[in-house]
Amino acid sequence: MSSTATQIRIQDADASEYDVVVIGAGFGGMYALHALREQGLKVRVFDEAAGVGGTWFWNRYPGARVDFPGGPFYCYTFSEDLVKEFDWPERQPDQPTVLRYLNFVADRLDLRRDIELGSRITGAVFDEAAQRWTVETSKGTRVRAQFVISATGALSAAHIPKIPGLEHFKGEVYHTGRWPQDKQVGFAGKRVGLIGTGSSGIQSTPVIAREAAHLTVFQRTPQYSVPAGNGPVDDALVADARANWPKYRAIMRKTPIGSHFEPTTTCAREHTPQQRTAVYEAAWTKGGIGSVLLETYCDILTDKESNAALAEFVRGKIRETVKDADTARKLMPSYLIGTKRQVMDEGYYEAFNRDNVSLVDLREDPILEITATGVRTESGEHALDMLVFATGFDAITGALQSINPRGRGGVSLTERWAARFNSYLGVTIPGFPNLFMIHGPESPCVLFNMPLGAEMESDWIRDCILYLREHRLGAIEPAAGVDVAWAREVEEVANTTLYPETDSWYTGSNIPGKHRQFAVHMGGPNYFATLTRVAEQGYAGFVTEAVKETAAARA
Ligand code: N01
């Protein structure tokens, strides 16, 4: 036994005991709580935020909305009652609606009594002799649990780049992923600088532009954005979904990204250029990421020629929309379309036709420093009253790494993940017994319907815990080497697509110093079939330990 573990056991004689501690009260953590509690397990959820909702609690920036085919399809699927009781007004619900939904679920399932808000988990150490985790909170309390589930969210560790002089800026500073919840941010009469043009920057641009005295958008990489095509939900579709929910749920569980529709099977090469243009025009008019990337042609993300044709179509739309030719030129993206997270908008390119919006292309005119009164680029100073960072996240791995749990032998996660973010099945980490992840690296996470994926992963974790209990097993962890084979599989699946060719937050390239790894399993339903098979084979690839005497004495 390590000395760290001994020390912690002595100190923690009075720590509260749980079966499971869940970190995070967003879609994943809330469902995990429900699913485990239904089985009689004693569960405690901790979240730093003042309310439930996770990502949807923090991302209240102007214009935030679901970019997945929404309405009753971006929400929990396990309960027909929940599907029937909550009315989604729009196809792409806005952040307040999603947060209202999650609060509704928290009340409806009586989840709040087991959720401790305003409590950040600051550390977690596995005690090998006791086969339990000791978890510390920002409130200075310690709790112990046999299992820890990280439901920290794939896009929750906000990234603010280290730009010299930021600390001297006298105006207001915000990050889109940490938008204030206790005050209304007003833009009226202000000169606002927005750094970053991913989903968050592009969604917020038209909204800020409508209110601000002036908006300066600082763009490093131009993106392809498609019209959101938002509008009221299709009442007939919702009625049909409610009446036939098991059928819809079954479809969602077997489509590649967990959507309620099947992607097209027609390849772009099967059509003439004229036919393609007609297909793209129809998708553009309909709007939505699914329409443009999945319903047009099946090979946009696998075939460079098909990809290039769609990319050129979107560039044409930018040229058509943006009146100033030089601004349009700066907005022209060149990477393989769809290989950075596809963005949708409600008037992004149009915003650059306003007199109060200007674009700074950081590739031609880089930021030198932030001053007390603005941002200085090579061409001069841009005077600002407010700076909005839409600079994204240390995605997929950042939140759990910031907790930096210590597993077997006192090894920290930062040490474990120094060379690569290794996992087994995307839900467990070698050397970290009894620690599970929802939407961890090498799971489908951000490339699958996230609420549905969270449910499916949580169900697997629940069943694994029940299996251990039933067989009087005290600990489970990946066997030596299984992570290597898993990494190979993740890589092989990714390499059948164009995704890994582009630097993006999928590859970790947005964070200086982070190693490059395409950390998403793109198998969708095949991935979930593997989870099921592993369980049916008695948790193949895992090693288990019988309950130790010390642990049994505690239980
Ligand atoms: O973050 P991002 P996001 N100097 O990483 C730029 C989900 N989401 O918050 O591309 C200057 O995509 C960076 O430039 P570059 C969705 O999955 C969903 O927008 O690295 N610029 C980029 O332009 C999404 O993909 C919704 O060259 C710097 C931007 O900042 C994910 O969250 C809404 C910089 C960051 O874009 C993340 O989106 C919002 C620097 N030093 C988000 N560092 C929905 O609709 C970074 N940038 C559900």
Side-chain angles (χ1 to χ4, degrees), residues 125-322:
V125 179
F126 187 67
D127 178 337
E128 293 175 34
Q131 298 172 310
R132 296 180 87 73
W133 284 90
T134 300
V135 174
E136 291 181 340
T137 76
S138 52
K139 288 182 176 160
T141 52
R142 274 205 174 93
V143 297
R144 289 167 60 80
Q146 187 179 5
F147 302 99
V148 169
I149 299 177
S150 166
T152 45
L155 294 157
S156 57
H159 166 62
I160 295 194
K162 289 189 172 43
I163 301 176
L166 174 58
E167 66 281 11
H168 302 308
F169 185 62
K170 295 266 190 297
E172 297 162 71
V173 179
Y174 303 104
H175 186 284
T176 48
R178 287 265 142 170
W179 205 256
Q181 26 100 23
D182 48 358
K183 71 168 188 181
Q184 189 67 30
V185 177
F187 304 104
K190 292 179 187 158
R191 296 161 303 174
V192 181
L194 175 73
I195 302 181
T197 53
S199 301
S200 307
I202 286 180
Q203 285 184 335
S204 48
T205 290
V207 186
I208 299 175
R210 280 198 290 275
E211 220 189 297
H214 192 88
L215 171 64
T216 307
V217 177
F218 296 91
Q219 166 198 271
R220 190 165 67 179
T221 307
Q223 296 250 13
Y224 303 91
S225 185
V226 303
N230 187 29
V233 288
D234 175 342
D235 289 335
L237 175 66
V238 173
D240 192 52
R242 283 176 168 171
N244 301 289
W245 190 244
K247 182 186 92 183
Y248 278 83
R249 189 171 188 237
I251 293 171
M252 289 160 74
R253 290 165 79 95
K254 74 173 178 52
T255 56
I257 60 158
S259 58
H260 63 284
F261 58 86
E262 295 276 2
T264 179
T265 51
T266 306
C267 295
R269 283 171 187 275
E270 294 170 36
H271 278 179
T272 62
Q274 291 76 8
Q275 284 173 313
R276 286 187 205 175
T277 305
V279 168
Y280 297 146
E281 282 291 354
W284 192 264
T285 305
K286 185 177 172 198
I289 294 173
S291 307
V292 177
L293 279 188
L294 301 174
E295 291 180 79
T296 49
Y297 295 110
C298 65
D299 54 355
I300 304 279
L301 293 164
T302 53
D303 181 306
K304 282 194 178 165
E305 209 179 300
S306 306
N307 189 285
L310 176 60
E312 189 46 38
F313 173 83
V314 177
R315 282 192 290 266
K317 288 290 176 193
I318 300 170
R319 258 179 235 116
E320 237 174 76
T321 309
V322 179

Side-chain angles (χ1 to χ4, degrees), residues 55-56 59 61 63-68 74 155 159-163 175-177 195-203 218-223 289 340-344 362 367 390-393 446 450 503-506 509-510 512:
T55 294
W56 293 103
N59 282 269
Y61 63 84
R65 332 191 139 259
V66 175
D67 60 0
F68 191 84
Y74 178 89
L155 294 157
H159 166 62
I160 295 194
K162 289 189 172 43
I163 301 176
H175 186 284
T176 48
I195 302 181
T197 53
S199 301
S200 307
I202 286 180
Q203 285 184 335
F218 296 91
Q219 166 198 271
R220 190 165 67 179
T221 307
Q223 296 250 13
I289 294 173
K340 277 175 176 275
R341 172 62 175 224
Q342 184 56 46
V343 178
M344 55 161 220
L362 299 178
I367 295 177
T391 43
F393 304 90
V446 291
M450 292 191 82
D503 283 345
S504 67
W505 60 257
Y506 294 136
S509 318
N510 63 324

